[in-house]
Amino acid sequence: MNYVSTRGAAPVLGFDDALLAGLAPDGGLYVPESWPRLDLDALGGLAYAEVATRVMAPFVAGRIEPEVFARMVAETYAGFGHPAVAPLRQIGDNDWLLELFHGPTLAFKDYALQLVGRLFDHVLATRGRRVTIVGATSGDTGSAAIEALRDRANVAVFILHPEGRVSEVQRRQMTTVTAANVHNIAIEGSFDDCQAMVKAMFADAPFREAHDLSAVNSINWARVMAQTVYYVTAALALGAPGRAVSFAVPTGNFGDVFAGYVARRMGLPIERLVIGTNANDILYRLLETGRYDRGRVVPTLSPSMDIQVSSNFERLLFDLCDRDGARVAALMAALESGGGFAVEAAQIETARALFSAWRCDDDATLAMIGEIHRDCGMLIDPHTAIGIAAGRARRGAARTPMVALATAHPAKFADAVARATGIRPALPERLADLDRRPERVTRLPNSLAAVQAFIAERSITEKGKGGMENGDGDAREGETATTRAGRA
Ligand SMILES: *Cc1c(COP(=O)(O)O)cnc(C)c1O
């Protein structure tokens, strides 16, 4: 399978190159040249990892050896905390929840990142290359990336988070990973400061090249690919291919719901894909009005969806524009310069034939958490609540099963759950001692020079000269951790 850019002006790449590239050099996102067909009859009764291997096989064909890939996939999902990996739970008549929080960091991002970490390491080892992953996080993504990349030989990972502005659980999920290749940096500043420094590092060509900077953010095709799998396993369990199924997806960057679209393009009988948004409702407004207009980010109880531009929407736009990259490039230029664009009437009709959207404010989110607790005796997280609310509001045919994606474990957002139900959800057993594990984190000022110096000293790339082998850097990080704990 080859990959083309949504903006039509980048080289066509194989899977491994698209994996390492992330963003295409023309600013676009990589998508497969064509959509392969699923053989659904061959998938019935198989375990999650086996379905996963078969669903993803055409996307990696020619670039990753089939046996190597099958082993990687098996290893990835063997580490999950539920034998079904992505179990379904019934919450009403033809109303289901797909639990995607059984990975190591309790959010659905593990389902893709745990595999992407292995893929990265494998492709880098084959080429004799090493990279430096740099990222900023406001909470969820950082811990999922750290868990995916810990102890991988060819990757060093540096994650910046705003000191004191991520939740206790989120911070500990990052800082208690003390693998030598993992570096947590607490910035004395905001999330925007962290993100601005990461952008500046990627824009600094000598620095970027010296340390082979790379990212595993949500625009990476491999993440979308891995997320198509649970749509397939859920639909099979509910009667596909003989019966159509709908999904409701709490949405931020449009990555997860786009994976549902991919499954449909591959032939999975999906009737509707319902997009759930919080007050940051660019996708809801798009389907209502046909205009894609950037708004200001409003903080909500579902912070992983507090996003003003849904990057992966560009991949759907590419198909809506009949895969004309020049048209997509023009629209994205209008978004950049003027803050928005109108989608043509025929295109929005095409989108509405499959997608619906629903918007939930914080009060409605809390109300849904309370309702599910009363009716089903279950605790759900705020993102999941928005998915359920969206699915119920935009059900379509009542006989079609509606599956809402449960994207995080309730204990990750315990404050909101406690507010809605009076009950504070506990962490699952394997994380029960999280608050007693030692933390390792380095506090740095909001200074690009300081962060770059820290990374340069610990780089493991050929050109970057390693500081990791001598163990010196680690000692200093430990010291900082002590200082930090002393203050707390
Ligand atoms: C990232 C995230 C989302 C949003 O997923 P997208 O792929 O960005 O649409 C929803 N819920 C949770 C818990 C998340 O961490």
Side-chain angles (χ1 to χ4, degrees):
M1 177 66 72
N2 279 325
Y3 292 83
V4 297
S5 164
T6 51
R7 299 194 191 173
V12 172
L13 300 182
F15 174 79
D16 47 351
D17 290 309
L19 173 80
L20 295 185
L23 197 68
D26 61 359
L29 278 57
Y30 280 108
V31 285
E33 211 161 39
S34 61
W35 298 117
R37 294 294 296 179
L38 285 169
D39 179 3
L40 289 167
D41 293 321
L43 300 177
L46 297 184
Y48 188 93
E50 289 168 29
V51 176
T53 303
R54 293 182 194 209
V55 169
M56 293 187 278
F59 294 118
V60 304
R63 295 300 177 111
I64 312 271
E65 291 294 318
E67 314 77 62
V68 172
F69 186 63
R71 197 168 57 235
M72 241 185 274
V73 172
E75 246 178 59
T76 296
Y77 299 108
F80 280 53
H82 192 288
V85 182
L88 280 163
R89 278 183 69 174
Q90 189 155 17
I91 53 169
D93 255 3
N94 270 341
D95 210 5
W96 299 82
L97 209 54
L98 180 60
E99 291 185 354
L100 301 175
F101 50 70
H102 296 289
T105 72
L106 312 180
F108 86 94
K109 289 181 175 75
D110 290 328
Y111 286 71
L113 277 167
Q114 284 291 311
L115 178 63
V116 169
R118 287 174 169 82
L119 284 165
F120 246 77
D121 214 34
H122 170 74
V123 171
L124 290 169
T126 308
R127 297 179 180 200
R129 268 190 64 194
R130 290 173 157 193
V131 295
T132 305
I133 302 271
V134 178
T137 186
S138 56
D140 268 358
T141 313
S143 57
I146 285 170
E147 275 295 342
L149 297 169
R150 65 188 293 173
D151 297 318
R152 307 243 163 259
N154 303 301
V155 180
V157 54
F158 296 83
I159 299 292
L160 283 59
H161 72 264
E163 184 178 38
R165 302 195 202 186
V166 300
S167 79
E168 170 94 13
V169 169
Q170 285 177 323
R171 187 192 76 240
R172 286 185 166 276
Q173 281 188 312
M174 297 191 280
T175 58
T176 58
V177 178
T178 53
N181 71 326
V182 170
H183 307 275
N184 276 290
I185 304 174
I187 295 293
E188 296 163 356
S190 68
F191 171 62
D192 287 343
D193 294 331
C194 296
Q195 206 163 34
M197 284 195 279
V198 169
K199 275 196 182 152
M201 284 187 264
F202 276 92
D204 178 345
F207 185 80
R208 185 182 68 225
E209 281 155 26
H211 304 293
D212 272 318
L213 289 201
S214 187
V216 288
N217 46 27
S218 80
I219 48 97
N220 199 300
W221 163 257
R223 285 181 62 177
V224 175
M225 169 186 88
Q227 289 167 20
T228 59
V229 174
Y230 45 71
Y231 288 90
V232 177
T233 58
L236 286 170
L238 293 172
R243 188 190 197 199
V245 177
S246 292
F247 291 90
V249 189
T251 303
N253 239 328
F254 204 76
D256 205 4
V257 70
F258 184 77
Y261 169 82
V262 171
R264 181 146 189 280
R265 293 301 306 250
M266 293 173 77
L268 191 70
I270 295 180
E271 189 173 286
R272 297 215 66 75
L273 287 170
V274 184
I275 295 163
T277 80
N278 60 27
N280 300 287
D281 61 350
I282 183 167
L283 294 164
Y284 174 78
R285 286 183 282 118
L286 168 79
L287 284 172
E288 290 292 301
T289 67
R291 280 200 60 87
Y292 191 71
D293 287 317
R294 190 198 301 256
R296 245 209 321 275
V297 177
V298 185
T300 71
L301 293 175
S302 43
S304 301
M305 293 155 60
D306 292 347
I307 282 169
Q308 56 170 312
V309 172
S310 301
S311 314
N312 276 291
F313 173 66
E314 182 169 340
R315 289 191 159 112
L316 178 66
L317 194 62
F318 184 59
D319 274 6
L320 292 174
C321 290
D322 298 320
R323 305 207 132 206
D324 179 346
R327 273 167 78 196
V328 174
L331 292 173
M332 297 319 288
L335 178 68
E336 191 66 37
S337 62
F341 57 80
V343 177
E344 283 171 27
Q347 294 174 352
I348 203 72
E349 280 321 305
T350 305
R352 282 178 186 145
L354 175 62
F355 293 96
S356 318
W358 186 251
R359 178 181 57 198
C360 246
D361 61 17
D362 279 349
D363 286 340
T365 304
L366 291 169
M368 184 52 76
I369 297 174
E371 188 177 326
I372 293 293
H373 181 239
R374 267 195 318 278
D375 295 352
C376 311
M378 276 169 65
L379 297 176
I380 55 166
D381 106 285
H383 304 79
T384 304
I386 291 174
I388 297 172
R392 288 184 174 179
R394 298 281 158 115
R395 266 216 69 100
R399 67 189 144 65
T400 306
M402 175 62 76
V403 180
L405 271 50
T407 51
H409 190 281
K412 270 201 111 158
F413 299 93
D415 290 342
V417 178
R419 230 170 106 183
T421 63
I423 299 170
R424 227 184 146 72
L427 285 165
E429 188 143 356
R430 61 206 166 110
L431 283 175
D433 66 341
L434 188 67
D435 64 351
R436 293 188 300 278
R437 294 181 193 171
E439 289 187 81
R440 195 181 64 175
V441 58
T442 301
R443 191 174 356 117
L444 290 179
N446 181 16
S447 146
L448 182 60
V451 174
Q452 286 185 316
F454 180 85
I455 293 174
E457 208 172 303
R458 289 157 183 80
S459 176
I460 60 165
T461 61
E462 287 300 311
K463 293 159 272 174
K465 286 213 307 265
M468 284 237 329
E469 274 84 14
N470 60 21
D472 177 43
D474 292 339
R476 216 162 316 162
E477 280 173 78
E479 257 169 52
T480 319
T482 317
T483 319
R484 194 184 186 298
R487 277 191 337 142

